[in-house]
Amino acid sequence: MSVNSYLKRSAFSLMELIIVIVIMGVVYTLSVTNFQNLGGSNTQVSLKNLKEYLYNIPHTKSVELLCLDNCLRCSVLVDSKEYISTTPFDDIIDDTIRVYRYDFYTGIQEQSKKVYFNSEDVQEDVCFSYSVDKRGIGEQVIVEFKDKVYDFSTYLSSTSVYDSLEEVVEFKDVLAQEVLR
């Protein structure tokens, strides 16, 4: 074997080794990123970021935060099955929470509580629930809690926060008037 052919083989083997190392680096980077995403974020879940948090949980139909027993017990349902989450939800709300719907003609109307049947088919009292579908569209509700009002009624944008229900109504009325023009 000549020195020239030996050098060509060595150079080719070195290129193969570099390509393998680059591929392994890319796979490692993608794997670490996915594991970090699955592990959840370090951000505290609040009503302000609830919609985005729920949407980022892997699901095929919908994901829902369901709070029972006067909001003492909250859990996440992914595609109607309970999701094991490391994030505590019990401290983000309590039984003083109020949920409303807005209609241009009737204004703000308090929403009645949802009916929920557990796995034993027993009805439980729902204190609060909020769901997001696979497209990121959440329930069209307005939530009043601890002197703040959270507007979940926008389809694809993040939750807006107001100081009162009157501010929300004013904003909705102005928006409706702009649409009617």
Side-chain angles (χ1 to χ4, degrees):
M1 178 167 21
S2 72
V3 174
N4 242 356
S5 66
Y6 178 75
L7 288 176
K8 284 181 183 178
R9 262 191 190 187
S10 295
F12 185 71
S13 295
L14 183 61
M15 285 299 282
E16 286 179 333
L17 182 61
I18 290 173
I19 290 171
V20 168
I21 290 172
V22 168
I23 290 172
M24 287 176 55
V26 168
V27 169
Y28 175 78
T29 303
L30 292 174
S31 298
V32 167
T33 303
N34 285 336
F35 281 129
Q36 288 173 346
N37 289 341
L38 289 175
S41 64
N42 292 331
T43 60
Q44 179 70 25
V45 178
S46 67
L47 288 173
K48 173 78 173 131
N49 65 5
L50 178 63
K51 182 178 183 179
E52 291 79 13
Y53 175 83
L54 292 175
Y55 179 69
N56 286 326
I57 295 174
H59 60 283
T60 55
K61 295 179 185 170
S62 69
V63 60
E64 176 180 21
L65 176 66
L66 181 67
C67 297
L68 307 171
D69 300 330
N70 293 323
C71 290
L72 294 175
R73 181 171 49 104
C74 296
S75 58
V76 174
L77 303 176
V78 175
D79 301 326
S80 300
K81 295 181 179 91
E82 190 159 358
Y83 172 74
I84 306 302
S85 172
T86 58
T87 304
F89 297 101
D90 303 335
D91 295 333
I92 68 168
I93 59 171
D94 60 35
D95 62 350
T96 62
I97 195 165
R98 298 289 172 253
V99 180
Y100 303 91
R101 292 222 180 250
Y102 173 81
D103 180 80
F104 176 69
Y105 298 107
T106 60
I108 289 237
Q109 303 289 322
E110 189 162 3
Q111 184 175 332
S112 58
K113 303 283 183 180
K114 181 179 172 181
V115 176
Y116 175 72
F117 291 92
N118 64 20
S119 58
E120 287 88 35
D121 216 22
V122 176
Q123 183 176 341
E124 293 192 55
D125 293 329
V126 175
C127 175
F128 175 74
S129 70
Y130 183 75
S131 65
V132 177
D133 71 10
K134 65 181 178 180
R135 296 171 296 177
I137 298 174
E139 289 182 65
Q140 309 302 297
V141 295
I142 296 168
V143 175
E144 183 179 31
F145 183 65
K146 291 190 177 179
D147 299 325
K148 293 289 181 194
V149 179
Y150 301 87
D151 184 4
F152 290 95
S153 65
T154 56
Y155 280 102
L156 296 174
S157 61
S158 63
T159 305
S160 300
V161 182
Y162 300 91
D163 290 326
S164 69
L165 282 172
E166 291 78 23
E167 277 188 40
V168 175
V169 172
E170 285 176 24
F171 175 76
K172 298 288 186 187
D173 287 344
V174 167
L175 191 61
Q177 292 301 326
E178 288 179 16
V179 170
L180 291 175
R181 288 183 201 171

